[in-house]
Amino acid sequence: MNDSQPLSESTHIELPDVWDQLDEIVKAGESEAAINFLNALPPGEEARILAQLSLDEQQAFLKLLDGEHAAWLMETLPELQAAQLLSSLSPEQAAHIVDEMNSDEQVDLLDQLPEEQSEKILEVMNPEEAENVRFLSKYTSLCAGGLMITELLSFEESQTVDDVVSDLRQNAERYAEYNVQYIYVINHDLQLVGVLRLRDLLMAPPGKRLSSLMIPSPLCVPDSTSLQELQHFFDSHPLFGLPVVDEANVLVGVVRREDVEEAGEEQAGKTFLRFAGIMGGEELRSLPLKIRSARRLSWLSINIVLNIVAASVIAMYEDTLSSVIALAVFLPIVSDMSGCTGNQAIAVSTRELVLGVIRPRDWIYVFKKEFALGMVNGLALGLLLGIVAYIWKGNAYLGLVIGGALAANTLMAVCLGALIPMVLKGFKLDPALASGPILTTITDMCGFFLVLSFAQAFLPLLT
Amino acid sequence: MNDSQPLSESTHIELPDVWDQLDEIVKAGESEAAINFLNALPPGEEARILAQLSLDEQQAFLKLLDGEHAAWLMETLPELQAAQLLSSLSPEQAAHIVDEMNSDEQVDLLDQLPEEQSEKILEVMNPEEAENVRFLSKYTSLCAGGLMITELLSFEESQTVDDVVSDLRQNAERYAEYNVQYIYVINHDLQLVGVLRLRDLLMAPPGKRLSSLMIPSPLCVPDSTSLQELQHFFDSHPLFGLPVVDEANVLVGVVRREDVEEAGEEQAGKTFLRFAGIMGGEELRSLPLKIRSARRLSWLSINIVLNIVAASVIAMYEDTLSSVIALAVFLPIVSDMSGCTGNQAIAVSTRELVLGVIRPRDWIYVFKKEFALGMVNGLALGLLLGIVAYIWKGNAYLGLVIGGALAANTLMAVCLGALIPMVLKGFKLDPALASGPILTTITDMCGFFLVLSFAQAFLPLLT
């Protein structure tokens, strides 16, 4: 915090230099040099420089660091890579590092490991830390319980301002790592009864009891509250943190705005990758080839089967095709364009679902909106492609067949694209991963069918 | 803040009821009923219920609200819709509402309007507020200057703890709306010289001067710092806010972690939509059909032209095609699969660029990684489709032609997909919007060419 350098003045280190330097440090085995190296990395560049090292290099480097710096390194790396690095260490080495991390990061990281392995690490960790991790890891990561931190300040309602201030003074060191925004007031049964802002403490007479100073019955959420509900909450309330209670209204933690927004951002990134067919929504190029290839292939192999199914429609019309070979030129265009128009609608629905602007049961509203748009864009695209077909072969009927098929297929693709994510969401399935393949399979089949059956009907006029 | 209802207990209101209710309120023209209605909306549902109203309905409803509630309504609606609503009002009405909003939201909203219109609103706004907006709006929205708020607490270094505490007490009402995390310490020339946490004030003797209590030379950023740099900063520093200075080191505002993360999340959502071909990265179904249709069509019409260009390769091989009509079945499959594999690589590169794990100049590293993956996945997919072709027609050479073409095209699609976003980013272009069309045009052309030229070479063996 005492660095007067403005951020943007950080010089851009050339990568090969950095890695040569790192190589030397690792070869020399100098802990001090390693720590100096870490501290000298330009802010904002650490993740990039460290993430591009191979697992072996990361391991060799990590061995030179003390627990605190090793924990910092883990927190800086993308989660997937940190977990991989951790699992390459002995349980004792891993525990030593995890002990130094914050409660929510401990849980997130250990969650990435196979249960057997994380259990071994927990066994050799500081018992108090391990117990806290076990308590937190019973929650799934995308609910209030999974996002909350347990490092909070709570006092009983019968205590006075003076009690609090002297406790703050005495434990200043322990609280140094806490992000203190509010003080939570609890009763004898540990139930949350009030909340107090730090600034209100500043202005209150020392002898006053918390019960008369606090804001009573504060907003709070059950530990099962979903990430989406939390996002909506923080969108409409200018608060930094929100206390989390269990079924008995006992205060169990605090979920902070920053953690909710970080989780939201991560989710948005994962949605984007899943939408493009990356299983699990995460891939980094530093992962082993086997894992990367398998993650992509698993989605591709489903896709190729669906593609073959869709293209089998063409096989049924081989006669029509061989009579009007020009149709073969337009089949990929119709298939591709319907995929594009449908994907736009999928993206808008997925985004509106995430924003909370629509819910699955609003499908009539969405259908009406998309139907109108599908009519307009279908006519526009159909007209365009129809004219191209007409000009190319000088046959107006060919233009009519191609244009009509594309227009009809566009209308269908737009409506389907809008509704598929809502249906999947309604069945609690993941809209991002499955919507695309479902859409393109249907639109391809219909597109091929429309072009070829229209062509068959007009066959005498086309040749 | 004094609502003891846990969030998840909020009953899900049925929409038709809500809208009937709203209809009655608007018809009766009762302001009080309108405000009660707003307050009774279940938390987290406000945006959804209000965003689905038509512009006319929103306008009629807005007229019933006082400035404060109207401002709240504006902040709840998606930005695009709020701007539309605002621009439908007279400058006086609009100014009255904008006056009640926070500085960063004022700027964001007025930024969405045509300059002429926002100028008219500024002219009739509270002069002090208007001046602040003019000052803030000289910054682009995705840099520290555009993201910062100007509501902050700053004191001169010569002042004492007591001075600060009594100022806080005196102006408690004015500061009530501030998110006070830190106190900023400035010198005579308004330059930032230190920072002080609220909790440190709590523990300090009253007579102490700020200069001896503050953390000197605090971290700060120039007002031009980019969103991405800010994201990296907050990722690696557990701070709530970061002071922003101009070229003369004068303190001009504070950029808060929450605003950076909100902006990051919004960017991620827009990237996702642009990736799917929604121009501008934003579409809500409540927008007029004309705008929605035009935004989607502008991208689609570029795409269809590119598609026609790519398909013209097929037209050059009409003879080959009519000899082996089965090829027409495989052309859409090869085109579609190469699009899929390439898009995966695009998504991973786009994501890694956003995460800061790679930079445009790391292209050799990325190319090596993708080449290896392209070999593996190309062989796997080529083998699969080749076997299907062989089984279908009982001709091993057809399998070889199709499988070989898909394998080669997959390798190319993967490498291209990985590099295109990096090249675009290197030229400061938007990778999300343009990568897809560029990729599929090239891979379609190459895919068609590979299948048909291989087929032509093996023609005697295929028939």
Side-chain angles (χ1 to χ4, degrees):
Chain A
M1 196 134 164
N2 38 13
D3 177 352
S4 63
Q5 238 8 24
L7 265 190
S8 62
E9 280 184 20
S10 71
T11 47
H12 280 173
I13 293 187
E14 282 305 311
L15 282 185
D17 289 357
V18 180
W19 287 325
D20 287 350
Q21 217 177 315
L22 212 113
D23 231 32
E24 275 172 37
I25 292 170
V26 169
K27 270 192 201 129
E30 286 173 5
S31 286
E32 207 180 324
I35 290 170
N36 286 340
F37 173 82
L38 269 193
N39 289 333
L41 286 178
E45 298 267 313
E46 302 98 338
R48 184 172 72 100
I49 290 168
L50 298 169
Q52 283 191 21
L53 298 176
S54 73
L55 185 59
D56 288 344
E57 290 169 320
Q58 286 175 350
Q59 244 180 308
F61 184 65
L62 195 70
K63 287 219 176 89
L64 299 177
L65 300 177
D66 56 41
E68 199 187 323
H69 282 90
W72 180 88
L73 177 65
M74 286 290 180
E75 289 169 10
T76 304
L77 286 175
E79 212 166 76
L80 209 60
Q81 233 174 7
Q84 233 202 334
L85 183 54
L86 197 71
S87 73
S88 73
L89 304 174
S90 74
E92 288 74 21
Q93 287 174 313
H96 182 58
I97 296 172
V98 176
D99 271 340
E100 297 285 331
M101 299 171 69
N102 277 340
S103 65
D104 54 340
E105 275 152 355
Q106 290 174 332
V107 179
D108 286 351
L109 192 56
L110 290 175
D111 249 17
Q112 305 271 324
L113 302 184
E115 205 182 316
E116 195 190 338
Q117 202 169 9
S118 68
E119 196 43 53
K120 272 189 196 148
I121 296 174
L122 282 168
E123 272 165 24
V124 285
M125 271 175 67
N126 173 331
E128 209 176 305
E129 302 261 348
E131 196 192 350
N132 195 27
V133 170
R134 280 183 220 272
F135 165 69
L136 285 174
S137 58
K138 70 175 190 200
Y139 296 109
T140 60
S141 61
L142 295 181
C143 72
L147 292 166
M148 71 187 183
I149 52 166
T150 49
E151 290 93 349
L152 56 85
L153 293 180
S154 65
F155 293 91
E156 269 200 43
E157 54 186 335
S158 57
Q159 289 181 289
T160 63
V161 170
D162 216 24
D163 293 338
V164 175
V165 172
S166 58
D167 178 85
L168 288 181
R169 286 214 181 109
Q170 269 170 34
N171 294 300
E173 207 177 320
R174 202 181 117 213
Y175 297 155
E177 298 291 305
Y178 285 32
N179 282 312
V180 183
Q181 303 307 322
Y182 307 101
I183 284 169
Y184 298 99
V185 186
I186 53 177
N187 64 15
H188 263 300
D189 301 325
L190 307 177
Q191 292 172 322
L192 179 74
V193 293
V195 71
L196 195 58
R197 290 179 303 180
L198 220 50
R199 55 201 270 186
D200 294 328
L201 259 194
L202 258 173
M203 307 175 191
K208 205 153 185 180
R209 275 181 199 285
L210 300 189
S211 55
S212 63
L213 199 60
M214 69 186 189
I215 302 165
S217 311
L219 272 179
C220 63
V221 284
D223 45 16
S224 58
T225 310
S226 71
L227 172 61
Q228 213 183 343
E229 284 174 296
L230 290 171
Q231 284 178 310
H232 283 305
F233 176 85
F234 281 108
D235 277 351
S236 50
H237 296 81
L239 299 175
F240 281 97
L242 185 61
V244 180
V245 295
D246 66 11
E247 304 91 49
N249 208 28
V250 168
L251 179 67
V252 290
V254 176
V255 57
R256 294 173 300 175
R257 173 185 282 270
E258 54 180 288
D259 292 325
V260 168
E261 290 185 347
E262 235 176 74
E265 205 186 330
E266 207 187 298
Q267 273 303 96
K270 286 190 177 177
T271 301
F272 169 66
L273 283 187
R274 283 203 308 273
F275 185 69
I278 306 291
M279 287 287 189
E282 198 60 285
E283 179 188 317
L284 289 164
R285 294 220 165 81
S286 45
L287 287 179
L289 177 61
K290 214 172 68 183
I291 296 179
R292 295 172 57 224
S293 168
R295 283 190 181 200
R296 293 201 198 173
L297 257 187
S298 54
W299 188 77
L300 291 173
S301 47
I302 297 171
N303 240 293
I304 200 170
V305 171
L306 294 176
N307 254 294
I308 293 171
V309 170
S312 64
V313 171
I314 305 178
M316 298 189 302
Y317 286 91
E318 279 195 4
D319 291 343
T320 312
L321 253 179
S322 47
S323 315
V324 193
I325 202 73
L327 292 174
V329 176
F330 291 100
L331 289 177
I333 299 181
V334 170
S335 145
D336 200 67
M337 287 313 294
S338 308
C340 286
T341 46
N343 263 329
Q344 289 182 327
I346 288 181
V348 173
S349 280
T350 307
R351 179 83 180 138
E352 285 196 336
L353 284 170
V354 168
L355 286 178
V357 178
I358 55 168
R359 299 239 164 158
R361 72 189 103 112
D362 300 333
W363 67 272
I364 297 179
Y365 162 79
V366 169
F367 177 77
K368 279 187 200 157
K369 290 278 178 187
E370 289 302 306
F371 189 85
L373 188 141
M375 291 289 284
V376 175
N377 285 7
L379 281 175
L381 293 175
L383 204 66
L384 188 71
L385 194 63
I387 290 173
V388 169
Y390 168 56
I391 293 175
W392 180 39
K393 290 287 169 186
N395 185 327
Y397 295 101
L398 183 70
L400 212 62
V401 164
I402 300 292
L406 181 61
N409 210 42
T410 299
L411 176 59
M412 200 201 56
V414 166
C415 295
L416 270 181
L419 296 181
I420 289 173
M422 302 179 73
V423 172
L424 290 175
K425 181 88 176 184
F427 285 106
K428 308 259 175 221
L429 296 168
D430 175 17
L433 193 58
S435 297
I438 294 177
L439 173 89
T440 50
T441 306
I442 302 178
T443 55
D444 275 8
M445 289 186 80
C446 289
F448 298 148
F449 173 76
L450 287 171
V451 171
L452 294 167
S453 63
F454 283 9
Q456 199 169 36
F458 287 87
L459 201 54
L461 299 167
L462 297 179
T463 45
Chain B
M1 196 133 166
N2 40 13
D3 178 350
S4 63
Q5 256 339 49
L7 267 189
S8 63
E9 279 183 22
S10 72
T11 46
H12 282 170
I13 292 187
E14 281 307 310
L15 284 184
D17 288 357
V18 180
W19 287 325
D20 286 350
Q21 218 177 313
L22 212 114
D23 231 33
E24 276 171 38
I25 292 170
V26 169
K27 270 189 201 131
E30 287 172 6
S31 286
E32 205 180 327
I35 291 169
N36 287 340
F37 173 81
L38 268 194
N39 290 332
L41 286 178
E45 299 265 314
E46 301 98 337
R48 182 172 72 99
I49 290 168
L50 298 169
Q52 284 192 20
L53 297 176
S54 74
L55 185 59
D56 288 344
E57 289 168 322
Q58 287 175 350
Q59 244 180 308
F61 183 66
L62 194 70
K63 287 218 178 90
L64 298 178
L65 300 178
D66 56 41
E68 197 187 324
H69 282 90
W72 179 89
L73 177 66
M74 285 290 180
E75 290 170 9
T76 304
L77 285 175
E79 211 166 78
L80 208 62
Q81 231 173 8
Q84 230 201 337
L85 184 53
L86 196 71
S87 73
S88 74
L89 303 175
S90 74
E92 288 73 23
Q93 287 174 314
H96 182 58
I97 296 172
V98 177
D99 270 340
E100 297 285 332
M101 298 172 70
N102 276 341
S103 65
D104 53 342
E105 274 152 356
Q106 290 175 331
V107 179
D108 286 351
L109 193 55
L110 290 175
D111 248 18
Q112 305 272 324
L113 301 184
E115 204 181 318
E116 193 191 340
Q117 201 168 11
S118 68
E119 197 44 53
K120 272 189 197 148
I121 296 175
L122 282 168
E123 272 165 24
V124 284
M125 270 174 67
N126 174 331
E128 208 176 307
E129 302 260 349
E131 195 194 349
N132 195 28
V133 170
R134 280 183 221 271
F135 166 68
L136 285 174
S137 59
K138 70 174 190 204
Y139 295 108
T140 60
S141 61
L142 294 181
C143 71
L147 291 165
M148 72 188 183
I149 53 167
T150 50
E151 291 92 349
L152 56 85
L153 294 181
S154 64
F155 293 91
E156 270 199 42
E157 52 186 338
S158 57
Q159 289 182 291
T160 63
V161 170
D162 215 25
D163 292 338
V164 175
V165 172
S166 59
D167 178 85
L168 288 181
R169 287 215 181 107
Q170 270 169 33
N171 294 300
E173 207 177 321
R174 202 181 118 214
Y175 298 155
E177 298 291 305
Y178 285 32
N179 281 312
V180 183
Q181 304 307 322
Y182 308 101
I183 284 168
Y184 299 98
V185 185
I186 52 178
N187 64 15
H188 264 303
D189 300 325
L190 306 177
Q191 292 172 322
L192 179 73
V193 293
V195 69
L196 194 59
R197 289 179 304 179
L198 219 51
R199 54 199 272 187
D200 295 327
L201 259 194
L202 258 173
M203 307 176 193
K208 204 152 187 179
R209 273 181 201 285
L210 299 190
S211 55
S212 63
L213 199 61
M214 70 187 188
I215 302 166
S217 309
L219 273 178
C220 64
V221 285
D223 46 15
S224 60
T225 310
S226 73
L227 173 61
Q228 214 183 342
E229 284 176 295
L230 290 171
Q231 283 177 310
H232 282 306
F233 176 86
F234 280 109
D235 277 351
S236 48
H237 295 81
L239 299 176
F240 280 97
L242 184 61
V244 180
V245 296
D246 66 11
E247 304 91 47
N249 207 30
V250 169
L251 179 66
V252 289
V254 176
V255 56
R256 295 172 300 174
R257 171 185 284 270
E258 53 179 289
D259 292 325
V260 169
E261 291 187 345
E262 235 175 75
E265 204 186 332
E266 206 186 300
Q267 274 302 95
K270 285 190 176 174
T271 301
F272 170 67
L273 283 187
R274 282 203 308 273
F275 184 70
I278 306 292
M279 289 287 189
E282 197 61 282
E283 179 188 318
L284 289 164
R285 294 220 165 81
S286 43
L287 288 177
L289 177 60
K290 213 171 69 184
I291 296 180
R292 294 173 58 224
S293 169
R295 284 192 180 200
R296 293 201 198 174
L297 256 187
S298 53
W299 188 78
L300 290 173
S301 46
I302 298 170
N303 240 292
I304 201 169
V305 171
L306 294 176
N307 254 293
I308 292 170
V309 170
S312 63
V313 172
I314 304 179
M316 298 189 303
Y317 286 91
E318 281 197 3
D319 292 341
T320 311
L321 252 180
S322 49
S323 315
V324 193
I325 202 73
L327 292 174
V329 176
F330 291 101
L331 289 177
I333 300 181
V334 170
S335 145
D336 199 67
M337 287 312 296
S338 308
C340 286
T341 46
N343 262 329
Q344 289 182 327
I346 287 179
V348 174
S349 280
T350 308
R351 179 80 180 140
E352 286 197 336
L353 284 170
V354 169
L355 286 178
V357 177
I358 56 169
R359 299 237 164 158
R361 72 189 102 113
D362 301 333
W363 67 272
I364 297 179
Y365 163 80
V366 169
F367 178 76
K368 280 187 200 157
K369 290 277 177 187
E370 287 302 306
F371 189 85
L373 189 142
M375 291 290 283
V376 174
N377 285 7
L379 281 176
L381 294 175
L383 204 65
L384 187 71
L385 194 62
I387 289 174
V388 169
Y390 168 54
I391 292 174
W392 180 40
K393 290 286 171 186
N395 184 328
Y397 295 101
L398 183 71
L400 213 63
V401 163
I402 300 291
L406 181 62
N409 211 40
T410 300
L411 175 59
M412 200 201 55
V414 167
C415 295
L416 270 181
L419 296 181
I420 289 173
M422 302 179 72
V423 172
L424 290 175
K425 181 87 178 185
F427 286 105
K428 309 257 175 221
L429 296 169
D430 175 17
L433 192 58
S435 297
I438 295 176
L439 173 90
T440 49
T441 307
I442 302 178
T443 54
D444 275 6
M445 289 185 80
C446 288
F448 298 149
F449 173 75
L450 287 172
V451 171
L452 294 167
S453 63
F454 283 9
Q456 199 170 38
F458 285 87
L459 202 53
L461 299 167
L462 295 179
T463 44

